[in-house]
Amino acid sequence: KQEVTQIPAALSVPEGENLVLNCSFTDSAIYNLQWFRQDPGKGLTSLLLIQSSQREQTSGRLNASLDKSSGRSTLYIAASQPGDSATYLCAVNGGSQGNLIFGKGTKLSVKP
Amino acid sequence: GAGVSQSPSNKVTEKGKDVELRCDPISGHTALYWYRQSLGQGLEFLIYFQGNSAPDKSGLPSDRFSAERTGGSVSTLTIQRTQQEDSAVYLCASSLGVGGRLYNEQFFGPGTRLTVL
């Protein structure tokens, strides 16, 4: 059974710092991996999608990498801003129905 | 264009009542997913539709839960005889599902927060 783990559960950094969020999964047979952002009381905003054949994806200050064989992904946020404060969720897609399996998230707080 | 929409945004009901939650996917998206996010729990997959068909309903938590999708668009999730443990945020997502591909990017709606008293 696929399990997704995110470390750390919470992270607080001063504005301007570069940071890395970690995601690991137990079954490397995935089709893709998606990173999301969730603001309090809101739905999920898709940040990056990495297909299983890809090693990384970039969008603005965000860079996500994927090492499928070792079951790991990282989300790198450059020059963090208070507006980046949110919970970041990692999800893998490998089920027969295309459903996502989520980690429990990393709650990020960026202090001004 | 418009994203995934869900209604109502909040629903408070009494234990034992039935509730109906609605999801309107992105236009042209053939795949639709329901998930549940409970306090302290992660996101849990409930059911998937390709077009109007749900091939596997085993992810639904109990037989009090049912879902349907008509016209390949709007979907409703119905919970009968609600229990307090049903309290959660119910999220809907859609994806292209083009050519039978299940593995496109999923886009989520804002969710329905259900509270069962």
Side-chain angles (χ1 to χ4, degrees), chain A residues 46-102:
Chain A
S46 179
L47 298 174
L48 289 163
L49 170 74
I50 310 178
Q51 299 291 354
S52 62
S53 59
Q54 296 175 320
R55 298 285 292 186
E56 66 178 302
Q57 281 286 344
T58 298
S59 176
R61 294 182 294 109
L62 305 180
N63 176 278
S65 69
L66 174 64
D67 184 342
K68 200 174 81 156
S69 61
S70 68
R72 294 177 190 271
S73 176
T74 61
L75 180 67
Y76 175 83
I77 303 177
S80 58
Q81 302 170 358
D84 295 331
S85 298
T87 296
Y88 290 79
L89 293 157
C90 164
V92 299
N93 187 326
S96 60
Q97 301 185 75
N99 55 288
L100 294 173
I101 299 168
F102 285 85

Side-chain angles (χ1 to χ4, degrees), chain A residues 31-32 34 36 38 41-44 46-49 51 89 93-100 102-104, chain B residues 33 35 37 40-43 45 47-48 55-56 58 91 101-111 113:
Chain A
Y31 293 98
N32 61 46
Q34 213 167 337
F36 294 89
Q38 187 173 33
K42 305 291 186 184
L44 276 62
S46 179
L47 298 174
L48 289 163
L49 170 74
Q51 299 291 354
L89 293 157
N93 187 326
S96 60
Q97 301 185 75
N99 55 288
L100 294 173
F102 285 85
K104 291 198 184 310
Chain B
Y33 302 83
Y35 297 86
Q37 187 173 34
Q41 304 284 329
L43 272 140
F45 166 67
I47 193 168
Y48 149 74
D56 184 349
S58 62
L91 293 161
R101 288 182 61 200
L102 304 178
Y103 314 114
N104 303 109
E105 187 173 8
Q106 293 188 22
F107 297 90
F108 281 74
R113 181 174 298 276

Side-chain angles (χ1 to χ4, degrees), chain B residues 53-70:
Chain B
S53 174
D56 184 349
K57 301 181 181 178
S58 62
L60 295 173
S62 76
D63 57 10
R64 296 184 294 104
F65 286 70
S66 62
E68 65 174 16
R69 188 179 185 194
T70 55

Side-chain angles (χ1 to χ4, degrees), chain B residues 20-58:
Chain B
E20 192 172 277
L21 312 179
R22 175 189 168 107
C23 171
D24 204 337
I26 293 172
S27 178
H29 280 194
T30 62
L32 185 148
Y33 302 83
W34 283 98
Y35 297 86
R36 177 169 76 171
Q37 187 173 34
S38 306
L39 193 63
Q41 304 284 329
L43 272 140
E44 171 191 15
F45 166 67
L46 299 179
I47 193 168
Y48 149 74
F49 286 91
Q50 178 61 39
N52 293 333
S53 174
D56 184 349
K57 301 181 181 178
S58 62

Side-chain angles (χ1 to χ4, degrees), chain B residues 51-89:
Chain B
N52 293 333
S53 174
D56 184 349
K57 301 181 181 178
S58 62
L60 295 173
S62 76
D63 57 10
R64 296 184 294 104
F65 286 70
S66 62
E68 65 174 16
R69 188 179 185 194
T70 55
S73 182
V74 171
S75 175
T76 55
L77 178 69
T78 301
I79 309 173
Q80 295 179 309
R81 306 181 301 282
T82 51
Q83 303 293 313
Q84 288 182 332
E85 63 261 29
D86 299 333
S87 295
V89 176

